[in-house]
Amino acid sequence: MTVEALQTALAAEHAALYVYGVLGARTSESGTPALFAEVTGAYATHRAQRDVLTRRLLDEGAEPTPASPTYELPTTPTAVGVARAAADLEAGCAETYAYVVANTAGADRRWAVEALTGAAVRQVAFGRPPGPFPGAPDLT
Amino acid sequence: MKATRRAVVAASGAATLGLAGCTSDGSSSTPPPTGSGESSATEPAAADPDQVALDRAVAITTDLLVALEGAPPGLDPAGRLAAMHSAHLDALQDATGASATPTAPVQAAPPLTPARLRRRELRAQGELARLAVAAESGALARVLASMSAGIAAAMAGRDRVAA
């Protein structure tokens, strides 16, 4: 299950990078500096996670899943819309990493726990109230 | 966003794994004695590591909840932290089938301050994360990791309000 779980996470990271790239372009560094910093910080985090997953899959002898040519994009004409879209994106990533936690062990799971925690904290940074079970809404 | 949606579906599937091997009394994880009176019937049964992790998670969560119940007003606005820990305890009870009732701490704890509360919560978050990594059951690991992430997010939310 490890490779399948890591491939799922890599696919999610490809999507996150694509969407964050667009969200960054729709965010004003001068008009909303805090939001811009959060978006660019999240982009950097997801890029690093994508690279870790790619290397890990290559180590496993697997072909890393490629990015899709395009992804569905949220409608984000305002800063509030950008923050909401980012929070939604992180909620999806949290669910992905909760799945990875359940389907890996050892160092891979430790890394996934950290990624899940990061996604949960970023949801809050984008204005989403914290919930009791990030990545696992079925437990609520 | 298709990839993310697919992952959500997969995550839902993971939730159906159940906590195989995790019971409240350990009865299903240890074969019953054969009645021959020899060997294994007289040896102490090895503790199920996931049961130990569940028990520890219940203890951690109960401690946090009890501490909050005795905290000065305003330390947990709207009871958000207490509500989260109660939800965690409910999930753990669902997992174990046990009744884990919050009990008073044996030793009187010093009064809870914001800094002390933060340290306690973050210490619990770290321990739950370590229990998640060590869990044998993937489903249990997911529960514990989500609880840990929930505490981290709650503390981030408090920081955000305070800023």
Side-chain angles (χ1 to χ4, degrees), chain A residues 7-8 11-12 15-16 19 65 71-74 88-89 92-93 95-96 98-99 101-103 105-106 109-110 113 116-117 120-121 124-127 130-139, chain B residues 1-8 10-12 14-15 17 83-84 87-88 91 125 129 131-139 141-143 145-154 156-157 160:
Chain A
Q7 293 281 27
T8 300
V19 174
T65 190
Y71 295 90
E72 292 175 34
L73 290 170
D88 288 345
L89 186 59
C93 287
E95 293 200 32
T96 297
Y99 164 74
V101 165
N103 290 282
R109 182 185 287 172
R110 182 176 295 108
V113 169
L116 165 60
T117 302
V121 170
V124 174
F126 285 116
F133 295 104
D138 54 292
L139 296 175
Chain B
M1 298 295 285
K2 292 173 185 169
T4 301
R5 286 207 196 99
R6 187 174 63 204
V8 170
S12 301
L17 288 170
M84 176 183 67
H88 288 174
Q125 185 232 324
L131 291 172
V133 172
E136 291 187 1
S137 158
R142 179 174 178 265
V143 172
S146 180
M147 289 172 57
S148 174
I151 294 174
R160 186 178 162 86

Side-chain angles (χ1 to χ4, degrees), chain A residues 73-99:
Chain A
L73 290 170
T75 303
T76 54
T78 64
V80 171
V82 167
R84 187 182 302 121
D88 288 345
L89 186 59
E90 294 297 347
C93 287
E95 293 200 32
T96 297
Y97 280 110
Y99 164 74

Side-chain angles (χ1 to χ4, degrees), chain A residues 16-42:
Chain A
L17 277 174
Y18 187 96
V19 174
Y20 268 120
V22 174
L23 295 180
R26 295 178 184 176
T27 306
S28 167
E29 184 173 9
S30 58
T32 51
L35 178 61
F36 185 82
E38 292 292 349
V39 169
T40 53

Side-chain angles (χ1 to χ4, degrees), chain B residues 41-147:
Chain B
T42 57
E43 293 173 0
D48 177 347
D50 278 359
Q51 185 59 52
V52 173
L54 271 170
D55 290 345
R56 180 63 193 142
V58 168
I60 292 167
T61 306
T62 302
D63 280 351
L64 294 173
L65 202 49
V66 169
L68 285 170
E69 285 173 353
L75 203 56
D76 181 22
R80 291 190 186 94
L81 279 176
M84 176 183 67
H85 294 316
S86 291
H88 288 174
L89 206 52
D90 287 347
L92 292 170
Q93 287 173 345
D94 287 346
T96 63
S99 57
T101 304
T103 55
V106 176
Q107 294 180 328
L112 208 54
T113 63
R116 192 167 287 130
L117 170 68
R118 180 178 181 78
R119 282 197 298 274
R120 287 176 67 107
E121 295 284 340
L122 292 180
R123 192 164 54 235
Q125 185 232 324
E127 186 169 358
L128 289 169
R130 286 189 290 277
L131 291 172
V133 172
E136 291 187 1
S137 158
L140 174 60
R142 179 174 178 265
V143 172
L144 297 173
S146 180
M147 289 172 57

